[in-house]
Amino acid sequence: MMTSFGNGTRRHPRSRGRTWSGTGPDRATLGIVGLVCAVAGFFALGIVLGPVAVVCGWLAMGRTWSSSQPLPALVALVLGAIDTLLALVWLAGVATPGGGLF
């Protein structure tokens, strides 16, 4: 007997793995993504990747400042803030008259 489309023998052929929950990525994944964005932001697109790293780090920490959070989330938050600050300082320096843009 053949099974028809949608009536397979397995109930859940594509179960969700460790990295994804029902609503989105878990905290460990967000911490690592934030850390990668923060490190990459020092080399290119710091004004974009810095805030992304801050948001990912903050979400990975569970939107709290408790001290029992994983290390990549905290590092992503701090490096993202430094990255954003450096990018803003660089943009302010370039925007001044005689800043060397032209």
Side-chain angles (χ1 to χ4, degrees), residues 26-38 49-66 69-81:
D26 67 352
R27 292 180 180 179
T29 303
L30 280 174
I32 293 171
V33 167
L35 185 62
V36 168
C37 287
L49 293 176
V52 169
V54 170
V55 169
C56 286
W58 182 61
L59 290 175
M61 291 177 67
R63 292 180 262 173
T64 61
W65 293 106
S66 63
Q69 301 304 325
L71 188 63
L74 182 63
V75 172
L77 186 76
V78 171
L79 287 181

Side-chain angles (χ1 to χ4, degrees), residues 9-30:
T9 57
R10 294 170 53 187
R11 291 285 180 202
H12 303 287
R14 294 183 183 176
S15 63
R16 295 185 186 268
R18 180 189 158 284
T19 58
W20 297 98
S21 65
T23 59
D26 67 352
R27 292 180 180 179
T29 303
L30 280 174

